[in-house]
Amino acid sequence: MTATTRLAALGRAELTLLVRNRMALFTALLMPALMIGSIRAATDRVGLDGTGMNVAEAAVTGGVGMVLLLVVYLNLVSAYVGRREELVLKRLRTGEASDREILAGTALPATCLALVQCVLLVAAAVTLLGVRAPERPELLVGGLLAGIALCVGLAVVTSGATRTVESAQLTTMPLFLVSALGSGLFVPVEVFPETMASVCELLPLSGVMTLVRAGWLGGGDGGELLKAALTTLGWAAVSVLAARRWFRWEPRT
């Protein structure tokens, strides 16, 4: 059995479990759309002068970040914890699949779903809301893929500090709130005071959002994009190191 076959089998099994979990399915399918409405209401109350975007553009690009957080990060923390506590991860390690394949296979349905939702979001925004088409699609795709990889890594790390599936609602809340409020999801970082904006630009998802907005709406000079890419890569490296140190394959005692 090849690595691709093993990944596909793990992904199908995880997709079956996702479909059976109504709460996880609701979070993955409906919550992003509801949060985009909240983002639009928030940006409507904030002056966007000088940001280079209107309310609709700020809302839909922030919606990409919400898809990453809700569909990838939140869902995967619960998935990794649930499979660990049910001894699924422990049993899988006795088979042919490597550790990386097990983690990637578990993440496969959520990452594919996030990609599909982002494609639909872009299409709906352009055709129904009059938002301009992506000016640099390669940068948008690169930022999206980097964000997915980063959220998977952060989910692996967070699961190590989470005892039960129920407690995942608490352990995921800090990163969710910090990213939603400080990484430009609800309101662009450009509207913050300069000192606060400089700090917020160093948050885990801030670099991803900079790349996504520059890819979709244009703007952003080379130095700004390089800083965003390095910030994203730095957090990805930290998440990998932390995952190796703190991820648990067996139930917490």
Side-chain angles (χ1 to χ4, degrees):
M1 184 180 292
T2 65
T4 302
T5 305
R6 290 193 294 269
L7 280 175
L10 289 169
R12 284 195 300 270
E14 190 61 38
L15 179 60
T16 300
L17 293 173
L18 176 61
V19 171
R20 291 176 179 175
N21 187 329
R22 293 183 180 179
M23 181 56 68
L25 202 59
F26 171 79
T27 301
L29 295 179
L30 297 181
M31 278 298 290
L34 295 176
M35 293 304 296
I36 290 174
S38 300
I39 293 172
R40 179 155 188 163
T43 54
D44 202 22
R45 294 193 294 267
V46 177
L48 296 178
D49 296 337
T51 64
M53 65 186 84
N54 57 37
V55 172
E57 292 169 342
V60 294
T61 51
V64 172
M66 277 297 167
V67 169
L68 295 176
L69 282 175
L70 294 171
V71 180
V72 181
Y73 176 66
L74 265 67
N75 263 333
L76 284 185
V77 173
S78 297
Y80 286 132
V81 173
R83 309 305 169 258
R84 182 194 71 207
E85 296 301 309
E86 295 165 357
L87 300 178
V88 173
L89 297 181
K90 184 177 181 179
R91 290 195 296 270
L92 287 173
R93 294 187 87 193
T94 63
E96 297 181 9
S98 66
D99 290 352
R100 291 182 180 179
E101 289 172 355
I102 294 171
L103 295 176
T106 304
L108 193 58
T111 56
C112 290
L113 181 58
L115 284 172
V116 171
Q117 286 187 304
C118 287
V119 170
L120 294 176
L121 176 60
V122 172
V126 173
T127 58
L128 300 179
L129 300 179
V131 176
R132 52 188 133 156
E135 296 194 12
R136 299 182 60 183
E138 76 286 352
L139 188 58
L140 173 59
V141 172
L144 178 58
L145 293 177
I148 288 176
L150 177 57
C151 285
V152 172
L154 293 172
V156 172
V157 175
T158 305
S159 69
T162 307
R163 289 187 175 276
T164 65
V165 174
E166 291 74 19
S167 64
Q169 300 177 38
L170 298 177
T171 57
T172 57
M173 194 57 62
L175 180 63
F176 178 83
L177 292 177
V178 166
S179 298
L181 300 177
S183 291
L185 274 68
F186 273 92
V187 292
V189 174
E190 291 85 348
V191 305
F192 295 158
E194 184 175 353
T195 302
M196 178 183 281
S198 298
V199 174
C200 289
E201 287 173 354
L202 300 176
L203 295 174
L205 281 186
S206 295
V208 172
M209 291 306 301
T210 297
L211 295 173
V212 166
R213 284 198 163 113
W216 194 337
L217 306 176
D221 55 34
E224 183 182 359
L225 296 179
L226 178 60
K227 180 181 178 181
L230 291 176
T231 300
T232 303
L233 289 174
W235 278 107
V238 169
S239 69
V240 170
L241 293 174
R244 290 178 176 176
R245 173 66 178 83
W246 288 301
F247 183 72
R248 295 173 179 266
W249 292 94
E250 299 187 14
R252 291 176 61 102
T253 56

